[in-house]
Structure formats: C-alpha cells, structure tokens
Amino acid sequence: MQPLDEKTLRASFVNTSRKELSDLTLPDDFDTLDFSRLDYLGWRDRRIARRAYAVVPAGPDAAAGDGPGSSGSGSVPGSAGVPGLIGIMLKQAEASPRTRAQCSLCQDVQLPNDVVLFSARRAGPAGRNGNTIASLVCSRFECSTNVRKLPATAYVGFDVEAARTDRIASLRSRVAAFARAVLDPAAPPTP
Ligand SMILES: [Zn+2]
C-alpha cells in the first residue's frame, strides 16, 4: 500500500467518534513501517484493551466523504475522509474462538498465529444504532506477512510465485470488501 502520514491516517477513519479518534495511539513502529510489504495497516491500541484499527486501501471510489453509508461525513463531523482509504476502529470480542480458527482475510491454512473475532461499528447512523460487522482476523494483523510466505510446493511444476501473487491479490480484495461493508449499512457480514 502507499505510505501514510499521521494526518492522512487519522482522516481516513469512518466509524469513530471524535473522542475515540483522539484516543487513538499509532503503531509503535509507525515511523519505520515498510508499507510496500503491507496490503493494509492493522494494529492494536497499546493503551486501550481490545481496541484495534485497520486502515485499508479500498479502491479509488471509496471514501469516508462519499461512501453510501456515511451520510456525507462518516461518523466524524467535519471529516472529509480520504479518497480510496477506509480507516476502521475494531473491538476484539471477549470470547476467543473455541478451536484454532482461520483468518477470514488471509485464510492462511497453516494457522501460524492466533485468530480472534473483531467487530467494527458501521459508519454513520447505522453504527450509532448499534449495527456492527464482525470477522475472524489474525490477532496482530499478520495477514500481509502470511500471504507473502512461499506456499509449500504442491506438485512438480506448481508455480509458487504465482500462488503467492494470487494470495496477495485475494487478501487485498477481501480486506477491501470488509472495509466497504463497514461503510454500507445494507451489506451482509463478510465471512
Ligand atoms: Zn490474517
């Protein structure tokens, strides 16, 4: 994804109150992040238990300012949003999945890290009425790392590089779909 500065990152959020946004703590390594190896930026708030964030490139026509569910301004009064970028505040569910679960974004079959249930309040009036959307996601948002691992060769002639490219593309489209669903109050929950 394209590198972000703090101002752009904060302006991208679509489902936070002004207070929640002011409480947001940036990732520890924000200044040294290699955005070229990230399909989305996800992190946990180190000061607020269970709170996490994801900033997602979601296509040129996606923006907090003109998304279908955002009523023109997202949840942040006065925010114009950032075209093509959707920032989402997430809350980790109290209960953990009972068995080791697969992340619905990277769908890594080797389950290299914990996966937890995160929910996101929808943008705009829907979210203020308690409408949320939930998804199983790598607990520390390891998805971009997971899809860049070379898959085990499945058979002679199997194109591992092509498989990796496919996994990266799939992750990007799934995370964009999740972010767009936060903007759209009518969208069904993503897997
Ligand atoms: Zn994942």
Side-chain angles (χ1 to χ4, degrees), residues 108-127:
D108 194 288
V109 293
Q110 298 181 29
L111 309 181
N113 47 256
D114 285 340
V115 169
V116 299
L117 187 66
F118 282 111
S119 68
R121 189 194 303 146
R122 306 244 194 197

Side-chain angles (χ1 to χ4, degrees), residues 40 103-108 113 137-138 141-143 146 171:
Y40 72 102
C103 169
S104 62
L105 300 178
C106 65
Q107 300 190 345
D108 194 288
N113 47 256
V137 181
C138 293
F141 305 99
E142 295 92 337
C143 305
N146 291 346
L171 169 60

Side-chain angles (χ1 to χ4, degrees), residues 128-160:
R128 288 193 287 275
N129 289 332
N131 192 333
T132 60
I133 174 170
S135 193
L136 288 163
V137 181
C138 293
S139 68
R140 298 200 166 267
F141 305 99
E142 295 92 337
C143 305
S144 297
T145 304
N146 291 346
V147 296
R148 280 165 179 73
K149 286 181 299 199
L150 277 181
T153 306
Y155 48 81
V156 177
F158 180 75
D159 188 339
V160 289

Side-chain angles (χ1 to χ4, degrees), residues 50-121:
R50 299 187 180 282
R51 196 198 279 190
Y53 312 95
V55 177
V56 180
D61 56 335
D66 60 11
S70 64
S71 308
S73 62
S75 298
V76 184
S79 164
V82 180
L85 213 55
I86 300 175
I88 308 164
M89 183 178 72
L90 300 160
K91 192 170 175 225
Q92 186 184 334
E94 302 269 342
S96 306
R98 252 175 299 169
T99 51
R100 294 213 71 186
Q102 190 181 70
C103 169
S104 62
L105 300 178
C106 65
Q107 300 190 345
D108 194 288
V109 293
Q110 298 181 29
L111 309 181
N113 47 256
D114 285 340
V115 169
V116 299
L117 187 66
F118 282 111
S119 68
R121 189 194 303 146

Side-chain angles (χ1 to χ4, degrees), residues 14-33:
V14 300
N15 68 341
T16 52
S17 68
R18 207 184 285 237
K19 166 83 168 74
E20 288 164 338
L21 196 57
S22 72
D23 290 342
L24 176 152
T25 307
L26 291 176
D28 284 338
D29 53 352
F30 186 65
D31 292 334
T32 55
L33 278 177

